[in-house]
Amino acid sequence: MATAARMPSVTLSETPLAEFAAEVRAGLTKPGQKELPSKYLYDEAGSALFEVICLLPEYGLCRAGARLLKRHAEDIADLLPLPVAVAELGSGTGAKTRWMLEALARRQAVNYFPIDISRSALWRCSQELGWIDSVSVVGFEHEYLDGLVSVASRRGPGEHLLVLFLGSTIGNFDRPAGEEFLRRVRGILHPGDALLLATDLEKPVPDLLLAYDDPAGVTAAFNRNLLARINRGLDADFDLAQFEHEVRYEEGERRIEMHLRSRSAQTVHVPLAGLRVSLRPGETIWTESSHKYNCREVAEMGARAGFRCAAQWTDAEWPFAQSLFFTQ
Ligand code: AVI
């Protein structure tokens, strides 16, 4: 049946428990500042909380990104060489991608390959976007670069690739790591391929602090859920009430940092990581950084990574940029 042929499909690869345990262990035994990898914020509960964050009036980032795509998807599509397949890094539920896929589907049939480590987000993305006329969806439950290598090997003859990196997730890398990540993306691409990169831009510090420490406490719950995830996955005994959500703006690095501050002297056991961690009162675990950019440095970073910036679109309401790069 025609409908069966259009059912979205997903290829899977689990993050091994041993890797999770090793990364938690490395972060919590690090001399000096303890830390946890921010990618583990996004289990099923974390991804759901992040979707709520995107609805908060104080956090304009997701709406700005979606507004730009809604307004400029046609302009972006006009600049792309056809035929083009679309790969999305960290697709989430893919809601903002709809505009881009619809603009391309008016020009050609589109193969869309969302890549995400969250199986449920990927599934919802496939369900939501797989029914757009002339769009076929194959999801990849992978880390970004592994997924992109697989996608690149599936492109049709003469087909270009447009890579979408839309959620401003580049901001969650340190600046040098972000640039290195772009260089690796470039290494997977061919001449004439494109990258649409979203970046959150610098804005007044009080606005940023409120965006990451909202009065409804959703971001605090999102942050603490990282400990809950370790409790669930590694049989740990973090008492969530003993940790306070803390947000700082680091002027020199131009980044927001999220921490979890221990309210007391405490010892936590993480049996599946073979770990017993002691925390001093007031000691923090650093859980995420969110770097803020300006348009010029985004273009320059892309250029150093081997791309040419063809166009940038910015949102006036919430400083945010979409930058279109081509391989050079
Ligand atoms: C996914 N990423 C771009 C978000 C950000 O703003 O850095 C994650 C987030 N953390 C707290 N609120 C949102």
Side-chain angles (χ1 to χ4, degrees):
M1 261 170 65
T3 49
R6 288 179 50 74
M7 273 300 285
S9 63
V10 178
T11 70
L12 306 175
S13 88
E14 294 273 344
T15 301
L17 193 65
E19 192 179 314
F20 181 33
E23 291 189 294
V24 166
R25 189 184 164 77
L28 293 181
T29 56
K30 212 169 166 212
Q33 175 68 62
K34 292 181 171 57
E35 55 187 58
L36 287 167
S38 61
K39 66 179 177 183
Y40 291 120
L41 288 163
Y42 301 91
D43 64 347
E44 191 137 7
S47 298
L49 285 165
F50 180 64
E51 277 184 51
V52 180
I53 289 174
C54 288
L55 301 174
L56 295 171
E58 298 81 10
Y59 187 82
L61 189 150
C62 304
R63 286 184 296 279
R67 257 193 313 271
L68 285 172
L69 284 180
K70 187 174 180 187
R71 268 184 213 145
H72 299 294
E74 290 290 339
D75 305 328
I76 297 166
D78 280 343
L79 292 171
L80 295 171
L82 303 181
V84 67
V86 179
E88 183 165 12
L89 308 178
S91 60
T93 59
K96 56 198 170 303
T97 312
R98 168 174 292 276
W99 313 109
M100 199 62 247
L101 294 181
E102 286 179 346
L104 284 171
R106 282 190 273 277
R107 293 159 170 81
Q108 54 152 67
V110 185
N111 291 318
Y112 169 57
F113 302 107
I115 302 164
D116 203 293
I117 51 170
S118 162
R119 186 181 306 186
S120 59
L122 203 51
W123 182 249
R124 285 180 51 201
C125 163
S126 302
Q127 291 290 306
E128 186 157 323
L129 301 175
W131 307 103
I132 302 175
D133 270 348
S134 304
V135 173
S136 81
V137 181
V138 177
F140 284 79
E141 190 188 346
H142 286 293
E143 302 266 351
Y144 299 147
L145 295 174
D146 292 345
L148 190 57
V149 168
S150 304
V151 167
S153 71
R154 291 179 69 134
R155 65 165 87 201
E159 193 173 47
H160 295 285
L161 204 55
L162 166 66
V163 178
L164 304 177
F165 199 23
L166 295 181
S168 186
T169 311
I170 189 94
N172 299 129
F173 295 93
D174 284 348
R175 281 174 216 275
E179 187 173 318
E180 178 56 24
F181 180 78
L182 294 186
R183 196 167 288 119
R184 291 193 184 178
V185 169
R186 169 64 190 90
I188 299 167
L189 299 182
H190 295 171
D193 289 345
L195 166 70
L196 186 64
L197 177 70
T199 43
D200 198 23
L201 301 179
E202 293 173 85
K203 49 186 66 61
V205 175
D207 295 355
L208 283 174
L209 292 174
L210 205 56
Y212 289 85
D213 194 5
D214 61 278
V218 183
T219 311
F222 171 70
N223 197 8
R224 284 198 195 91
N225 178 62
L226 182 48
L227 302 183
R229 179 179 188 176
I230 296 172
N231 284 350
R232 289 189 292 269
L234 299 176
D235 218 12
D237 59 1
F238 278 104
D239 176 357
L240 272 55
Q242 287 304 313
F243 290 88
E244 202 177 320
H245 170 65
E246 185 175 295
V247 170
R248 307 174 188 163
Y249 185 74
E250 285 293 330
E251 207 68 63
E253 301 285 348
R254 290 177 291 134
R255 71 178 176 216
I256 282 284
E257 289 182 7
M258 287 205 314
H259 290 251
L260 288 163
R261 180 178 290 281
S262 174
R263 294 188 202 271
S264 57
Q266 50 180 322
T267 299
V268 179
H269 304 92
V270 192
L272 295 185
L275 191 61
R276 190 171 161 274
V277 196
S278 295
L279 289 126
R280 299 186 304 278
E283 184 175 0
T284 72
I285 304 173
W286 183 10
T287 52
E288 188 186 57
S289 299
S290 191
H291 295 78
K292 305 305 165 189
Y293 283 90
N294 60 59
C295 284
R296 206 183 72 187
E297 71 177 321
V298 173
E300 288 171 354
M301 174 172 67
R304 286 192 301 273
F307 289 100
R308 171 180 61 82
C309 187
Q312 288 184 315
W313 296 269
T314 57
D315 189 68
E317 205 177 307
W318 178 276
F320 191 92
Q322 301 281 11
S323 304
L324 181 65
F325 290 99
F326 287 99
T327 54
Q328 53 174 359

Short mmCIF file of all heavy atoms in Angstrom, two decimals, residues 33 100 108 180 274 308:
data_model
loop_
_atom_site.label_atom_id
_atom_site.label_comp_id
_atom_site.label_asym_id
_atom_site.label_seq_id
_atom_site.Cartn_x
_atom_site.Cartn_y
_atom_site.Cartn_z
N GLN A 33 36.92 21.42 39.60
CA GLN A 33 35.48 21.53 39.29
C GLN A 33 34.90 20.18 38.81
O GLN A 33 35.35 19.63 37.81
CB GLN A 33 35.30 22.60 38.20
CG GLN A 33 33.88 22.75 37.69
CD GLN A 33 32.93 23.33 38.72
OE1 GLN A 33 33.12 24.45 39.17
NE2 GLN A 33 31.91 22.58 39.10
N MET A 100 11.44 24.43 6.31
CA MET A 100 12.53 24.19 5.35
C MET A 100 12.17 23.05 4.41
O MET A 100 12.37 23.13 3.19
CB MET A 100 13.80 23.84 6.17
CG MET A 100 15.09 23.99 5.44
SD MET A 100 15.43 25.66 4.91
CE MET A 100 15.33 25.45 3.16
N GLN A 108 11.40 19.93 -5.34
CA GLN A 108 11.90 18.57 -5.65
C GLN A 108 11.38 17.61 -4.57
O GLN A 108 10.91 18.04 -3.52
CB GLN A 108 13.43 18.57 -5.63
CG GLN A 108 13.96 19.14 -4.29
CD GLN A 108 15.32 18.63 -3.86
OE1 GLN A 108 16.29 18.90 -4.49
NE2 GLN A 108 15.35 17.88 -2.75
N GLU A 180 36.00 22.92 15.90
CA GLU A 180 36.51 21.60 15.50
C GLU A 180 35.34 20.73 14.99
O GLU A 180 35.49 19.99 14.02
CB GLU A 180 37.22 20.94 16.70
CG GLU A 180 37.76 19.55 16.45
CD GLU A 180 38.72 19.45 15.25
OE1 GLU A 180 39.33 20.47 14.89
OE2 GLU A 180 38.82 18.35 14.66
N GLY A 274 30.86 2.35 39.94
CA GLY A 274 31.86 2.01 40.96
C GLY A 274 32.36 3.25 41.67
O GLY A 274 33.56 3.41 41.90
N ARG A 308 32.26 28.71 3.46
CA ARG A 308 32.07 30.10 3.05
C ARG A 308 30.67 30.49 3.48
O ARG A 308 29.70 29.77 3.23
CB ARG A 308 32.19 30.18 1.52
CG ARG A 308 31.81 31.50 0.90
CD ARG A 308 31.98 31.44 -0.62
NE ARG A 308 31.13 30.43 -1.27
CZ ARG A 308 29.86 30.62 -1.59
NH1 ARG A 308 29.26 31.77 -1.31
NH2 ARG A 308 29.16 29.67 -2.19
#
